Amino acid sequence: MAILLAPPPPVSCSYQPPLTHRINYHSPQSNPKPKLEDVSFTFTQKTNTTHHHPPWFQEINKLCQSGNLPKALNLLNKSSDSQDFSGYHSRREAIGVLLQACGYWKDMETGGKIHELVSASTRFRNDIVLNTRLVTMYSMCGSPLDSRLVFDRLQEKNLFVWNALVSAYTRNQLFDDSINLFVELISETDFKPDYFTFPCMFKACSSIFDVGLGQVFHGMAIKVGLVMDVFVGNALVGMYGKCGCLEDAVRVFEKIPKRNLVSWNSMIRGFSNNGLSYECYNLLREILGEGFLPDDATIVTLLPVCASEGNVDMGMVIHGLAVKLGLNEEMMVKNALMDMYSKCGYLSEAMILFDKNNKKNVVSWNSIIGGFSREGDIYGTFDLLQRMQVEDENVRPNEITILNVLPACLEEKELESLKEIHGYSVRHGFHDDEMVANAFIAAYTKCGCLDYAQHMFYGIQNKTVSSWNALIGGFAQNGSPKPALDFYFKMKNAGLDPDWFTIGSLILACAHLKFMHYAKQIHGFVLRNGLDCDSFIGISLMSIYIQCNKILYAHALFSRMEDKDLVCWNTMLTGYTQLELPGEALHLFRQMLSNGVRPYEIAVTSAFEACSQLLALRLGKELHCFALKANLMEDMFVGCSILDMYAKNGCMEQAQMVFDSLSERDVASWNVLIAGYGINGHGSKALELFEEMYRLWLKPDRFTFIGVLMACSHAGMVKEGIQYFNEMQDLYGIEPKLEHYACVVDMLGRAGRIEEALKLTSEMPEEADARIWSSLLSSCRIHGNLEMGTKIAQRLLELEPEKAENYVLVSNLYAGSRKWDDARRVRQRMKKIGLQKDAGRSWIELGGKVYSFFAGDDMLPSSMEIRDMWKNLEEKITLIGYVPNTSCVLHELEEEEKIEKLRGHSEKLAISFGLLKTSKGSTIRVCKNLRICLDCHNAAKLISKAFEREIVVRDNKRFHHFKDGLCSCSDYW
């Protein structure tokens, strides 16, 4: 069997002992309880004497099958203690049967009484077989200490009783004790471990993930000649599979001379738990090819593989196989099928199976409740929880039920339901379980009830790292990063070290707070403890550096990562676009393609955003073709990104075509189109779209109104804008936020209604931020309102004293009113605190390459050509009315010097270069980082007329489409 393997994480395995020992000594594994009708409690220790049992023995056997053990014990006590061999033998067998039944039904009380009966009898006190039964009974009832006491009191011991105690420790997860007992067995006795002892050892080694010790026991099994035994081989396959050593598991599997179905199931389980689904399905085909018929263990091992991958098609194939083999009526198979369908998103199919199940157990209810909870169906989840308690009095919620319900509690409106579950858990003692307590902490934080989360946390007596993680993670993920850091320091003071989950939560908290100092400390801890190889932590560290605007740090981490997965690439791409580094984002996208990494929705969306920022239309079109070929157009995010890219490149016709071609138009796509028309100067069209959206019964959101208000602002539609602003809350129930007020303030300011705008700022429910004061200051400069502008400037500089752009606005206010001394004073203050004005920059994309130009830049290779081109342009447009507007030069210079300054504006350089390098009739698209000045605006209008070209300029506020001597803004911007 040729199987390709990769080192996977550790997994679980199972072991089934030889049939001849299965009743006497019980498997060290927690095997599913057999069906009651299949159980026959008979004493299987063979003797050389044949005998017939009396009627009371048969009655005891029936009572054991029905679980009525106290009555069976009474019947045993009433039976005569005959001195003849036959009576003694029947009584001895009856005791053995009762002990076996006590273990099966976990009736330790009745088992203890039988123990007293055995101890009081001189004939049975030292009976090795009955004492072995006692050891097994106590272990099955969860009391390995009593098993040990029985073992220690035995005067003579055989291998069976040693094996029974080894199994007792293994069954009760006392794996170290099991291994120590094995060492005692081989060092202090002459017994040799057999094909029952070794499987117990392999189970113990796999459970503590000690593959090295397991290999030692493997060697011992080889020496004593048991390694070829099918049961030992199966246990070895299970151990290696669980420890992630699948190559060793395959080697052992292939050497088993007579593989049984358990062998195949063990191998499937190894592949399954290591995420190798393809190999699992191949093994199923080989099982059928070898003539074996899969059993319920095969089916319930394969179905979780389908569930984890969402492979419902394969799940249906296995469902069909189970039906053909008559296994679909098995309880475990029913539950596994239900779980598979719900996890694959086929909740209605899971519900059909659930309703058809007439013998539901707690696992059945937990599976379907978990399915509804994962879907976020809070009402369905709680309805099932109530049904569970009403419909079946024999089934009661357990800890797993609570853990399945809690993920549905995601919002504040579920708080009352969460409290009800909490009360139920307290009444039934579930809250003492660490996992349940941690889940409640997480649920309370998600519902915004941080006080309850802390109260729950402080109620935990023995707080583990997981408990601290639940609280720290809950605070970090739900908008309270500062308390998350505080609790981390308390955790450290308590003497507990963080794990990878703690680190991830701390990184998230630092990212929210932009605490670079703590981020570096966490990074140092990660490096010192060797956690930097963890992909999740590496990506989280990249994210925090991006949030703190330290993109070089993030790129250094990215470069050092050996195995970059798709999430890693996506994080870096998103970081570049968030920090408005579109060139770097597109370069990384190309590198991603050249490395053979196929980009999906997130990466493609980031690339479209980069094209939008760069005004790189050609690259955007190429990317659009890529998305079409890669079948990504059905994704709503990709569709909106393409729509946004065309809108932000000034191509509203193409944007409208993309919008019309979308198979499903959600509110987000309408928002993008409305905002696109707004910034491109088509205010009326934007409002038409809004009204059409309303007619289609699509409910607008707060982003819709941002687009509508921006459209009204850019088009000078003040009356309409105020009307929509007032209707936001009255008609649509949307509370205006700060960004909506900012749009209205900007709209009033552009229209020269500065006093109204200022009055609105005083009526806002929140304090006006720097954006609003900056907008008002610009309006004061445009409309020459020096007095009001001076007051606003003071307020702006108080809010953001370290932002260069604010000082430039104040300086321009004074310069525009010819207050040169005040303008110089502001610039000197700016220089004193080390701030530098952003240079005017424009860029243009030609042939897929982006060319940048700075104001007054003479260092470009083609500077002379560009200057000559502008000289030619200036001569032609002067003939049709161009006069340099020197009022745009806000410096105290001579008139000729001002004209020369105007000639060096970056948008003029970019337009000149575009005319040099493009053919007649093609559109020139220029992007500018600052607002276009009045002189450049007038020049661009005249150039479009003189040269019969369409020129599109996007400044930091809006688009200007110049054509035939006119601009789309109608000279209102």
Side-chain angles (χ1 to χ4, degrees):
M1 180 178 62
I3 303 171
L4 297 175
L5 300 172
V11 293
S12 62
C13 65
S14 67
Y15 159 69
Q16 294 185 19
L19 187 60
T20 53
H21 285 267
R22 201 171 292 166
I23 296 177
N24 279 321
Y25 301 111
H26 301 283
S27 165
Q29 149 203 17
S30 294
N31 283 321
K33 198 174 285 187
K35 291 185 291 185
L36 190 58
E37 56 268 26
D38 295 336
V39 176
S40 177
F41 294 111
T42 55
F43 193 67
T44 57
Q45 181 68 28
K46 293 187 178 181
T47 65
N48 293 324
T49 307
T50 59
H51 58 275
H52 298 284
H53 294 300
W56 57 264
F57 180 90
Q58 300 300 334
E59 185 63 26
I60 286 175
N61 202 17
K62 290 179 183 177
L63 290 169
C64 286
Q65 289 186 53
S66 65
N68 195 344
L69 304 186
K71 188 174 181 180
L73 178 59
N74 287 337
L75 185 59
L76 177 68
N77 288 330
K78 289 177 182 177
S79 65
S80 60
D81 190 3
S82 175
Q83 297 300 314
D84 63 79
F85 181 80
S86 177
Y88 157 76
H89 188 84
S90 294
R91 188 170 176 80
R92 180 171 177 264
E93 283 203 34
I95 292 171
V97 167
L98 261 168
L99 287 172
Q100 183 183 0
C102 288
Y104 176 85
W105 294 108
K106 293 183 169 42
D107 186 349
M108 190 168 160
E109 183 180 352
T110 304
K113 291 176 181 177
I114 299 169
H115 186 183
E116 291 174 4
L117 186 152
V118 170
S119 298
S121 169
T122 55
R123 303 180 73 179
F124 297 145
R125 186 180 304 152
N126 293 310
D127 187 292
I128 191 68
V129 175
L130 292 180
N131 278 280
T132 301
R133 290 278 184 153
L134 279 167
V135 170
T136 301
M137 182 273 296
Y138 279 123
S139 75
M140 293 182 75
C141 292
S143 183
L145 178 60
D146 287 309
S147 295
R148 182 76 200 208
L149 291 173
V150 173
F151 177 83
D152 288 340
R153 286 173 186 158
L154 275 175
Q155 296 176 358
E156 294 184 9
K157 304 178 180 74
N158 63 8
L159 182 59
F160 288 152
V161 75
W162 279 91
N163 282 345
L165 188 59
V166 167
S167 173
Y169 283 143
T170 306
R171 176 185 288 111
N172 287 279
Q173 300 182 11
L174 300 172
F175 304 114
D176 290 333
D177 292 323
S178 179
I179 293 167
N180 290 335
L181 187 67
F182 177 83
V183 173
E184 188 181 339
L185 168 67
I186 61 175
S187 60
E188 297 183 10
T189 73
D190 293 329
F191 299 126
K192 291 183 179 180
D194 64 3
Y195 49 84
F196 182 82
T197 326
F198 278 112
C200 290
M201 288 302 96
F202 296 140
K203 171 70 175 175
C205 292
S206 67
S207 298
I208 61 175
F209 300 109
D210 191 341
V211 71
L213 185 59
Q215 288 170 334
V216 171
F217 291 144
H218 185 175
M220 293 176 66
I222 292 173
K223 287 182 180 179
V224 297
L226 289 174
V227 75
M228 302 305 285
D229 179 85
V230 65
F231 301 104
V232 174
N234 293 346
L236 264 173
V237 169
M239 180 198 72
Y240 283 126
K242 185 172 182 179
C243 292
C245 303
L246 284 182
E247 291 183 359
D248 294 320
V250 170
R251 276 194 288 269
V252 172
F253 176 81
E254 290 181 337
K255 287 179 182 177
I256 298 175
K258 292 183 179 180
R259 294 190 285 263
N260 59 16
L261 186 58
V262 178
S263 315
W264 290 92
N265 287 346
S266 298
M267 199 66 242
I268 290 175
R269 189 172 290 106
F271 285 136
S272 164
N273 291 313
N274 282 277
L276 300 174
S277 56
Y278 181 76
E279 285 77 4
C280 290
Y281 304 146
N282 271 348
L283 282 180
L284 175 62
R285 295 184 187 97
E286 291 192 40
I287 285 177
L288 297 170
E290 292 281 335
F292 288 99
L293 288 178
D295 62 3
D296 54 353
T298 319
I299 301 299
V300 299
T301 304
L302 286 166
L303 285 172
V305 181
C306 305
S308 65
E309 292 196 322
N311 189 348
V312 73
D313 292 333
M314 191 63 191
M316 288 178 175
V317 170
I318 295 169
H319 187 178
L321 181 62
V323 171
K324 287 181 180 178
L325 296 173
L327 299 171
N328 59 309
E329 292 302 318
E330 294 288 337
M331 181 65 74
M332 289 176 63
V333 175
K334 286 181 180 180
N335 292 340
L337 282 167
M338 233 175 6
D339 185 65
M340 182 274 296
Y341 280 118
S342 67
K343 285 180 178 174
C344 289
Y346 286 71
L347 203 53
S348 57
E349 283 77 2
M351 198 66 194
I352 290 169
L353 287 173
F354 177 77
D355 289 334
K356 286 182 177 179
N357 187 356
N358 296 322
K359 294 182 179 180
K360 303 178 184 74
N361 60 11
V362 70
V363 178
S364 313
W365 285 96
N366 287 347
S367 295
I368 197 69
I369 287 172
F372 276 83
S373 179
R374 278 189 299 273
E375 290 290 319
D377 187 346
I378 185 72
Y379 301 108
T381 301
F382 280 95
D383 179 62
L384 282 166
L385 184 61
Q386 291 172 352
R387 282 179 56 191
M388 179 182 184
Q389 299 172 75
V390 172
E391 290 183 11
D392 195 339
E393 60 182 16
N394 296 318
V395 177
R396 286 288 176 266
N398 59 13
E399 292 89 345
I400 304 300
T401 318
I402 304 300
L403 291 172
N404 280 347
V405 171
L406 288 178
C409 301
L410 296 172
E411 299 178 14
E412 191 173 348
K413 62 183 179 182
E414 275 96 48
L415 185 59
E416 289 304 313
S417 299
L418 178 58
K419 289 178 180 178
E420 286 182 28
I421 302 170
H422 191 179
Y424 182 91
S425 298
V426 170
R427 290 193 299 274
H428 292 81
F430 297 152
H431 71 295
D432 294 327
D433 183 277
E434 183 188 355
M435 289 181 67
V436 172
N438 294 345
F440 271 113
I441 293 170
Y444 276 124
T445 57
K446 287 175 183 174
C447 291
C449 203
L450 303 182
D451 291 340
Y452 277 80
Q454 290 185 65
H455 181 74
M456 188 78 200
F457 173 77
Y458 287 124
I460 300 174
Q461 291 185 348
N462 299 315
K463 299 177 182 67
T464 63
V465 173
S466 297
S467 308
W468 286 95
N469 282 347
L471 192 65
I472 293 169
F475 276 87
Q477 294 167 23
N478 293 283
S480 298
K482 187 65 172 65
L485 286 172
D486 294 339
F487 278 109
Y488 164 69
F489 293 124
K490 289 180 181 179
M491 173 184 169
K492 289 290 291 178
N493 291 335
L496 293 172
D497 289 325
D499 61 11
W500 67 270
F501 186 91
T502 324
I503 297 299
S505 298
L506 290 175
I507 291 171
L508 180 62
C510 291
H512 282 309
L513 295 167
K514 299 187 178 180
F515 279 1
M516 192 64 190
H517 175 67
Y518 287 140
K520 287 182 176 179
Q521 287 187 13
I522 294 167
H523 194 172
F525 178 88
V526 167
L527 292 171
R528 289 192 300 274
N529 290 273
L531 297 173
D532 54 318
C533 297
D534 186 279
S535 175
F536 171 77
I537 290 178
I539 291 168
S540 299
L541 282 168
M542 282 167 53
S543 298
I544 189 173
Y545 287 133
I546 289 167
Q547 290 291 323
C548 293
N549 204 9
K550 299 292 182 182
I551 194 69
L552 291 178
Y553 290 9
H555 187 265
L557 265 174
F558 174 80
S559 299
R560 283 199 296 268
M561 288 184 180
E562 293 183 4
D563 298 318
K564 299 179 181 72
D565 60 11
L566 192 58
V567 179
C568 186
W569 288 92
N570 288 345
T571 302
M572 204 65 213
L573 278 168
T574 306
Y576 278 131
T577 53
Q578 281 178 356
L579 297 176
E580 296 186 357
L581 296 168
E584 288 81 352
L586 290 173
H587 174 73
L588 188 69
F589 186 80
R590 292 189 188 98
Q591 186 182 340
M592 183 181 184
L593 291 172
S594 64
N595 284 11
V597 180
R598 184 185 174 185
Y600 287 94
E601 291 83 356
I602 295 175
V604 171
T605 301
S606 296
F608 277 120
E609 175 62 24
C611 292
S612 300
Q613 292 175 8
L614 270 178
L615 204 69
L617 180 60
R618 175 172 170 173
L619 291 173
K621 287 181 175 179
E622 290 177 3
L623 198 59
H624 187 178
C625 292
F626 175 87
L628 287 167
K629 291 177 182 177
N631 296 318
L632 298 174
M633 292 298 296
E634 292 301 314
D635 183 85
M636 290 302 299
F637 292 102
V638 174
C640 280
S641 298
I642 297 171
L643 182 57
D644 185 62
M645 182 273 295
Y646 282 120
K648 287 181 178 174
N649 275 275
C651 301
M652 288 312 300
E653 288 183 11
Q654 287 91 331
Q656 183 70 58
M657 287 172 62
V658 171
F659 177 80
D660 293 338
S661 69
L662 292 176
S663 57
E664 186 179 342
R665 298 172 199 142
D666 61 359
V667 174
S669 58
W670 283 88
N671 290 350
V672 172
L673 195 64
I674 288 170
Y677 276 113
I679 61 172
N680 278 276
H682 305 292
S684 297
K685 178 64 176 176
L687 299 187
E688 284 176 23
L689 280 169
F690 176 78
E691 296 300 332
E692 184 183 348
M693 181 181 175
Y694 179 73
R695 286 194 298 273
L696 292 172
W697 297 94
L698 281 168
K699 185 179 179 181
D701 59 18
R702 63 189 184 94
F703 298 106
T704 317
F705 279 98
I706 291 174
V708 167
L709 293 172
M710 281 176 57
C712 293
S713 178
H714 289 308
M717 303 166 72
V718 180
K719 181 182 176 181
E720 293 85 347
I722 292 174
Q723 180 185 335
Y724 282 116
F725 179 73
N726 291 331
E727 289 177 354
M728 264 184 72
Q729 191 167 5
D730 298 339
L731 292 182
Y732 302 99
I734 298 173
E735 187 75 30
K737 299 295 183 183
L738 202 59
E739 55 264 31
H740 301 106
Y741 283 100
C743 289
V744 178
V745 168
D746 183 65
M747 178 172 58
L748 291 169
R750 286 173 187 269
R753 296 160 65 170
I754 300 172
E755 289 185 3
E756 291 179 59
L758 196 59
K759 183 183 177 185
L760 183 62
T761 61
S762 63
E763 295 172 353
M764 287 163 45
E766 299 179 63
E767 284 288 326
D769 62 3
R771 291 175 303 166
I772 291 176
W773 294 116
S774 174
S775 173
L776 276 172
L777 186 57
S778 294
S779 298
C780 289
R781 184 185 70 80
I782 291 168
H783 295 285
N785 194 331
L786 180 62
E787 182 181 353
M788 192 174 289
T790 303
K791 294 176 183 177
I792 293 169
Q794 185 178 353
R795 182 72 178 127
L796 177 62
L797 294 179
E798 285 174 1
L799 279 175
E800 288 184 344
E802 296 182 358
K803 193 170 181 181
E805 182 184 334
N806 297 336
Y807 290 92
V808 173
L809 279 173
V810 177
S811 173
N812 290 346
L813 171 73
Y814 289 126
S817 300
R818 299 296 186 266
K819 298 287 184 179
W820 302 115
D821 290 339
D822 291 328
R824 270 193 297 271
R825 178 174 51 79
V826 173
R827 291 189 179 267
Q828 285 170 359
R829 181 183 171 187
M830 181 178 166
K831 186 177 181 181
K832 185 177 179 180
I833 59 179
L835 298 178
Q836 191 171 359
K837 172 185 178 290
D838 287 339
R841 173 176 171 255
S842 298
W843 59 94
I844 183 171
E845 181 211 20
L846 297 173
K849 185 177 179 181
V850 177
Y851 298 86
S852 293
F853 303 89
F854 290 89
D857 191 356
D858 291 325
M859 303 303 292
L860 292 168
S862 53
S863 289
M864 287 303 298
E865 278 186 279
I866 293 170
R867 290 285 183 179
D868 289 342
M869 184 64 189
W870 174 252
K871 187 177 179 182
N872 181 34
L873 290 175
E874 194 173 25
E875 287 174 359
K876 288 191 175 183
I877 62 177
T878 299
L879 295 175
I880 56 175
Y882 172 69
V883 177
N885 188 338
T886 55
S887 66
C888 297
V889 181
L890 300 175
H891 296 278
E892 193 176 10
L893 299 170
E894 296 295 330
E895 197 69 12
E896 221 18 77
E897 291 177 297
K898 288 183 179 181
I899 292 172
E900 194 58 35
K901 279 273 186 185
L902 291 174
R903 288 173 179 150
H905 279 195
S906 63
E907 54 265 59
K908 289 192 178 80
L909 301 178
I911 291 171
S912 300
F913 185 75
L915 288 168
L916 269 172
K917 300 296 181 181
T918 59
S919 58
K920 188 176 180 179
S922 58
T923 301
I924 295 170
R925 300 177 188 277
V926 173
C927 197
K928 182 175 171 64
N929 66 331
L930 304 175
R931 193 173 185 181
I932 189 171
C933 76
L934 186 59
D935 181 72
C936 290
H937 191 271
N938 290 337
K941 284 198 299 182
L942 294 170
I943 291 169
S944 71
K945 182 177 182 180
F947 288 83
E948 297 180 349
R949 290 287 198 101
E950 183 179 356
I951 301 170
V952 180
V953 176
R954 187 183 80 187
D955 65 11
N956 66 346
K957 297 292 183 183
R958 59 168 298 159
F959 275 91
H960 298 268
H961 294 257
F962 302 100
K963 190 174 183 181
D964 298 327
L966 300 173
C967 180
S968 59
C969 71
S970 300
D971 297 338
Y972 182 89
W973 81 94

